[in-house]
Amino acid sequence: MTLPQGEINQCVVLREKNNIVLESRPIPQLGHGDVLINVKATGICGSDIHYWLHGAIGDFKLTAPMILGHESAGIVAAVGEGVKNLKIGDRVALEPGVACRMCEQCKSGRYNLCPDMSFAATPPIDGTLCNYYKHPADFCFKLPDHVSLEEGALIEPLSVGIHSARRANIKSGDRVFVFGAGPVGLLCAAAAKAAGAGHVTIADLVPSRLEFAKNYYTDSQILLQRPKQGEPNIEYSRRMAKEILNTEELADAVIDCTGAETCVQMSVLLCKNGGSVVLVGMGGSVQALPISEISAREVDIKGIFRYCNTYGTAVKMLASGSVDVKPLITHSYPLQDAVEAFKHVKDGRDGAIKVQIIG
């Protein structure tokens, strides 16, 4: 193993809330089974923005400077001892969550629930938004020659869509309703279509997002109204669901990518008897739900936490063309302009869907 000599490892570091800087750090030393990745493309996720603006997500709190980023792809620059599946020059997508591989959850295949998970850019673990990143070889997935590194970086959010479709048990011909037309919601729609959904509806408050969704794996788009002043959430949800059902049928599966209490409530109200509601978005930790509807109609409420066993499937999807992620990449910035890229995402300007940093 020979590490790159004389190279600079520039990193995008969140030093504290509202303070992102570029700084140089040493190139990581490899351990047994590790590879060094020259990171070439990284998408900015909503969680990156949330850590930047708030310094925390739920119980995960920033207590020390942290490199951001977890949606990445790059080129193998060095391989550690014991690595047999990769070689220098291979183009790979990085699955950013590394489990212990030893606990009950890992051994049962649900390693995303590993209590000792180390996930990139989740405090205190550094992320991938840097020139060189050390990662276990078994969590790196080779990309076919015709799949770009920019596409490879989108395998991470696509994995959320694949996992949500699996949790929803989507079958051929199913009707699926998705709340939220951001990148994750759009990729949940794409994954639902790939799983065989016959009709996918997507809803959002932002007209430009729904306009984009017209040409991206959705069959109908619904512009949500905002609640009336002083209107209780459940009353708004019942009113809005009734209006939606004037033109839409009840769905076999509803996937909420917003985390908003009203959207979770509407998810239940728009779900068929015996159907599934999958909660992808993370909103308030305590929310009011129409329990009588859930019980009397046997609506299954399912959480998802990241994903597992999805990267190989996602690579095959991109390789075969069953899902095309290229249209989602609306803006790109060089690494040295990372702060401006983050501002672009925060402001949501110029119809941004997925902003990537190219290193």
Side-chain angles (χ1 to χ4, degrees):
M1 175 195 71
T2 303
L3 294 178
Q5 299 298 311
E7 295 286 337
I8 295 174
N9 187 26
Q10 286 284 93
C11 307
V12 179
V13 177
L14 179 63
R15 297 202 62 81
E16 57 190 357
K17 185 173 73 172
N18 293 317
N19 183 16
I20 295 176
V21 297
L22 268 178
E23 64 179 48
S24 295
R25 291 195 176 183
I27 294 176
Q29 296 293 313
L30 302 186
H32 185 90
D34 291 336
V35 291
L36 185 69
I37 306 299
N38 183 197
V39 179
K40 293 296 186 182
T42 301
I44 298 177
C45 175
S47 65
D48 295 313
I49 299 297
H50 203 278
Y51 280 121
W52 174 36
L53 298 180
H54 303 284
I57 296 179
D59 292 333
F60 297 105
K61 295 179 171 59
L62 187 74
T63 58
M66 177 183 75
I67 300 172
L68 292 166
H70 61 270
E71 300 178 7
S72 290
I75 300 170
V76 176
V79 297
E81 183 182 351
V83 174
K84 295 180 171 59
N85 62 317
L86 294 173
K87 64 183 186 302
I88 292 174
D90 282 343
R91 301 159 62 255
V92 297
L94 281 64
E95 181 172 356
V98 179
C100 78
R101 307 175 179 87
M102 299 297 291
C103 69
E104 178 184 356
Q105 297 292 350
C106 286
K107 289 185 178 296
S108 70
R110 302 184 72 178
Y111 61 87
N112 58 314
L113 302 179
C114 172
D116 292 322
M117 171 70 74
S118 295
F119 199 91
T122 298
I125 308 301
D126 279 325
T128 60
L129 199 39
C130 51
N131 294 130
Y132 290 99
Y133 185 75
K134 179 181 75 172
H135 207 52
D138 57 323
F139 282 89
C140 297
F141 292 78
K142 290 171 70 170
L143 297 173
D145 291 342
H146 64 286
V147 175
S148 70
L149 290 166
E150 290 81 2
E151 293 170 86
L154 275 160
I155 286 177
E156 199 279 336
L158 175 57
S159 285
V160 176
I162 294 169
H163 192 51
S164 70
R166 289 174 179 171
R167 292 282 284 159
N169 296 318
I170 294 170
K171 303 178 296 298
S172 180
D174 277 358
R175 295 186 71 92
V176 177
F177 197 108
V178 179
F179 280 101
V184 170
L186 292 166
L187 287 168
C188 284
K193 277 291 189 180
H199 190 281
V200 176
T201 301
I202 198 163
D204 202 287
L205 289 164
V206 182
S208 61
R209 288 190 164 186
L210 295 176
E211 193 63 33
F212 182 93
K214 284 182 180 179
N215 299 308
Y216 199 78
Y217 300 103
T218 66
D219 301 286
S220 55
Q221 305 78 34
I222 292 178
L223 180 64
L224 297 172
Q225 303 168 14
R226 295 188 182 276
K228 299 174 182 176
Q229 187 173 3
E231 185 177 25
N233 280 355
I234 191 61
E235 290 185 15
Y236 163 80
S237 298
R238 293 191 185 279
R239 176 174 63 82
M240 198 72 237
K242 185 177 180 181
E243 289 187 24
I244 290 170
L245 291 174
N246 287 332
T247 56
E248 294 285 328
E249 298 177 26
L250 290 170
D252 297 281
V254 185
I255 301 173
D256 175 60
C257 299
T258 70
E261 182 178 85
T262 50
C263 291
V264 177
Q265 292 170 344
M266 282 189 283
S267 295
V268 174
L269 300 172
L270 294 173
C271 190
K272 275 185 180 179
N273 292 6
S276 295
V277 171
V278 177
L279 305 180
V280 177
M282 296 183 71
S285 59
V286 178
Q287 300 190 7
L289 296 181
I291 296 298
S292 59
E293 294 266 358
I294 295 168
S295 298
R297 300 199 293 110
E298 292 193 356
V299 175
D300 291 338
I301 309 295
K302 299 181 180 181
I304 78 159
F305 188 61
R306 298 167 180 153
Y307 41 77
C308 60
N309 304 305
T310 54
Y311 262 61
T313 300
V315 170
K316 292 174 184 175
M317 283 181 170
L318 297 189
S320 68
S322 62
V323 171
D324 182 9
V325 297
K326 294 189 294 293
L328 298 177
I329 305 169
T330 53
H331 300 83
S332 298
Y333 285 81
L335 186 66
Q336 61 265 30
D337 293 337
V339 175
E340 183 57 34
F342 272 77
K343 290 178 181 177
H344 191 149
V345 177
K346 177 176 71 74
D347 296 341
R349 62 180 187 265
D350 303 326
I353 301 292
K354 177 56 68 176
V355 176
Q356 288 188 339
I357 294 174
I358 308 302

